[in-house]
Amino acid sequence: SEVPGEFNRMLDRIKKRISKKIADDQKKGLRHDIDMATDGISRDQYEQICKYFFEKGMIKELFYTTIEWSLMCRVNQIVDLNTDAISWRNDCATFLFVKTKANQKGGKGGGSGKSFQHFKHVYANPYKPYVCPLTALALYLLTHKITDNKLIPRDYDCDNHVTALRN
């Protein structure tokens, strides 16, 4: 789907603010050779992006954005998530990760002989449903076909998500 011009203008404003902040910090000697991609976005910018996706019905983009933010990982790390990796503990959803950057196959790691398993906890946000990862997950599951327990289709190209933000 085509991204409207208003979204592009919002992203341009965000990029200008980030660039101004970087330039100001460089003048003050607080930054040296900083790459804008490693700088990230603010919570406010994240909320603006989520609100836009929510209001425009861009469910897939909303899900990917909120789950990336909540799990503190990149899209290329969530493409391996499947429905079996999600469980509930008390008042949160947990996502099981069995791979790390150093241990791409999962299984035994670090020479300890133990299996690597890491649960990340995700909580609901009832006050701002447009940034709530569990609302986004529910909407995504209701609107997208899940095959082979894969949350994200096997043929998904991580660049698709970035393109939704840039166009």
Side-chain angles (χ1 to χ4, degrees), residues 137-149:
L137 172 63
L139 290 170
Y140 180 80
L141 291 173
L142 287 170
T143 58
H144 290 78
K145 184 177 179 177
I146 306 298
T147 56
D148 299 327
N149 291 338

Side-chain angles (χ1 to χ4, degrees), residues 26-39:
Q26 285 174 333
K27 283 180 187 175
K28 295 175 187 173
L30 300 173
R31 291 181 193 242
H32 305 283
D33 265 344
I34 213 78
D35 178 7
M36 207 161 117
T38 62
D39 229 15

Side-chain angles (χ1 to χ4, degrees), residues 118-147:
H118 178 70
F119 287 96
K120 292 189 176 189
H121 299 80
V122 176
Y123 295 86
N125 185 338
Y127 304 106
K128 294 182 180 176
Y130 54 90
V131 296
C132 178
L134 299 182
T135 298
L137 172 63
L139 290 170
Y140 180 80
L141 291 173
L142 287 170
T143 58
H144 290 78
K145 184 177 179 177
I146 306 298
T147 56

Side-chain angles (χ1 to χ4, degrees), residues 35-143:
D35 178 7
M36 207 161 117
T38 62
D39 229 15
I41 61 172
S42 71
R43 173 70 185 197
D44 183 53
Q45 292 164 337
Y46 161 72
E47 287 188 13
Q48 288 176 20
I49 291 167
C50 289
K51 190 172 187 177
Y52 178 85
F53 287 151
F54 187 79
E55 289 173 350
K56 298 297 179 184
M58 298 171 75
I59 304 303
K60 179 173 61 173
E61 290 79 5
L62 176 68
F63 169 64
Y64 294 165
T65 302
T66 58
I67 211 70
E68 274 182 284
W69 184 276
S70 300
L71 294 174
M72 294 188 289
C73 62
R74 296 183 175 146
V75 173
N76 64 337
Q77 294 169 302
I78 63 170
V79 294
D80 291 328
L81 285 176
N82 62 52
T83 55
D84 294 334
I86 305 171
S87 59
W88 292 96
R89 287 200 185 146
N90 300 320
D91 61 347
C92 69
T94 60
F95 288 76
L96 174 64
F97 286 82
V98 293
K99 289 184 187 179
T100 64
K101 191 173 186 177
N103 183 4
Q104 289 297 305
K105 294 181 181 172
K108 310 284 183 203
S112 66
K114 293 184 180 177
S115 228
F116 174 82
Q117 290 190 341
H118 178 70
F119 287 96
K120 292 189 176 189
H121 299 80
V122 176
Y123 295 86
N125 185 338
Y127 304 106
K128 294 182 180 176
Y130 54 90
V131 296
C132 178
L134 299 182
T135 298
L137 172 63
L139 290 170
Y140 180 80
L141 291 173
L142 287 170
T143 58

